[in-house]
Amino acid sequence: MAAGCAALNAGSTHSATKLTLKSASALVLDQSTGQTLLEKQAGAVVPIASITKLMTAMVLLDAHLDPQEILTITNDDKDMLRHSKSRLPVGTRLPREQALLLALLASENRAAHALGRTFPGGLSAFVQAMNAKAKELGLTGARFEDPTGLSSGNVATARDLARILESAYNYPEIRDFTTRPETSILSGRKSIQFPNTNALVRSPRWSIGLSKTGYIEEAGRCLVMQAMLANRPVLIILLDSWGKYTRLGDANRIKQWMEARLGTKG
């Protein structure tokens, strides 16, 4: 195994085929039993980028706000920290539920910021609720500074993210929104298409129940998923992958590795 990784069924006397991952931190858990199937630097506290939006979604849904209330994207929702691009024009009016869909499926930062900005008490109250939720979940290394993940101060360990992923899986809206292949909105007379940021949700080889990607320079390429692998429900956390496609490559390597170990495709 690569340094820092544990073998599947580590107590077994059978030798494991080497698995080299490009992600700096990785964790794979059996969702049913909590068994650690693989780990690599799973306790390191690192920036988590847009994986943050899973916490954003849970806080929003816990508040039971009107999903059909119309929100307006304003200049306040522009990314003034990194000046990242957005396909969601200022002035766009959309239901809160659709803003959440765009934040989760397309990782739209303006949508996520608008959700926090329009929360009762405003953005500061929303961030406070995010950190309260982290404490409620027993997260030891997690801290949140904004609802988008653009701040490098949004940090957690891979093990923290496994708890977030497991908790988020209990929300039907999050499972649905994060696994749709694409969506679209009407802006004036123009239809704007938003593909899912995780290409694996469009692959017939994968059965994914929840998904979220993330990227800022400090965090590298990140990916978390709930998926069926070798007929097991598993939680996959991949953080700080150095290449544009290596997080997807790591996910496929983990899939092949588990199928080879268990002799079952799923």
Side-chain angles (χ1 to χ4, degrees), residues 142-165:
R143 185 177 71 253
F144 297 94
E145 293 185 352
D146 82 285
T148 66
L150 288 167
S151 169
S152 61
N154 289 12
V155 297
T157 68
R159 291 204 171 273
D160 289 331
L161 291 179
R163 289 194 177 188
I164 289 175
L165 192 54

Side-chain angles (χ1 to χ4, degrees), residues 74-207:
T74 72
N75 282 319
D76 289 339
D77 300 318
K78 287 183 176 180
D79 172 17
M80 304 308 293
L81 178 63
R82 300 176 187 276
H83 304 286
S84 58
K85 295 180 180 179
S86 172
R87 304 185 69 215
L88 195 58
V90 169
T92 301
R93 290 167 50 81
L94 70 173
R96 179 178 280 111
E97 184 177 56
Q98 192 172 46
L100 179 60
L101 171 61
L102 292 178
L104 291 174
L105 181 150
S107 209
E108 251 298 337
N109 292 316
R110 290 182 182 179
H113 190 273
L115 292 171
R117 176 176 54 79
T118 57
F119 189 77
L123 200 58
S124 60
F126 192 85
V127 172
Q128 185 177 0
M130 294 175 75
N131 286 299
K133 182 73 172 180
K135 185 176 181 180
E136 175 190 321
L137 293 176
L139 310 184
T140 58
R143 185 177 71 253
F144 297 94
E145 293 185 352
D146 82 285
T148 66
L150 288 167
S151 169
S152 61
N154 289 12
V155 297
T157 68
R159 291 204 171 273
D160 289 331
L161 291 179
R163 289 194 177 188
I164 289 175
L165 192 54
E166 186 172 27
S167 181
Y169 191 75
N170 292 320
Y171 296 75
E173 300 94 336
I174 299 178
R175 296 198 306 269
D176 175 16
F177 292 176
T178 64
T179 55
R180 294 187 190 183
E182 62 182 1
T183 192
S184 62
I185 67 164
L186 281 175
S187 181
R189 296 182 178 180
K190 182 180 179 181
S191 177
I192 306 175
Q193 302 296 316
F194 294 85
N196 196 305
T197 54
N198 179 11
L200 296 181
V201 303
R202 295 184 286 276
S203 170
R205 297 182 58 250
W206 280 86
S207 176

Side-chain angles (χ1 to χ4, degrees), residues 24-101:
S25 295
L27 182 65
V28 181
L29 298 179
D30 185 310
Q31 188 179 13
S32 298
T33 66
Q35 177 190 10
T36 298
L37 305 178
L38 180 151
E39 63 177 318
K40 176 183 179 183
Q41 303 295 326
V45 178
V46 295
I48 60 172
S50 283
I51 307 302
T52 292
K53 293 183 176 77
L54 291 178
M55 181 63 82
T56 298
M58 287 192 288
V59 167
L60 182 76
L61 293 168
D62 287 349
H64 301 290
L65 303 177
D66 181 2
Q68 297 307 314
E69 181 181 351
I70 300 298
L71 309 185
T72 301
I73 302 300
T74 72
N75 282 319
D76 289 339
D77 300 318
K78 287 183 176 180
D79 172 17
M80 304 308 293
L81 178 63
R82 300 176 187 276
H83 304 286
S84 58
K85 295 180 180 179
S86 172
R87 304 185 69 215
L88 195 58
V90 169
T92 301
R93 290 167 50 81
L94 70 173
R96 179 178 280 111
E97 184 177 56
Q98 192 172 46
L100 179 60
L101 171 61

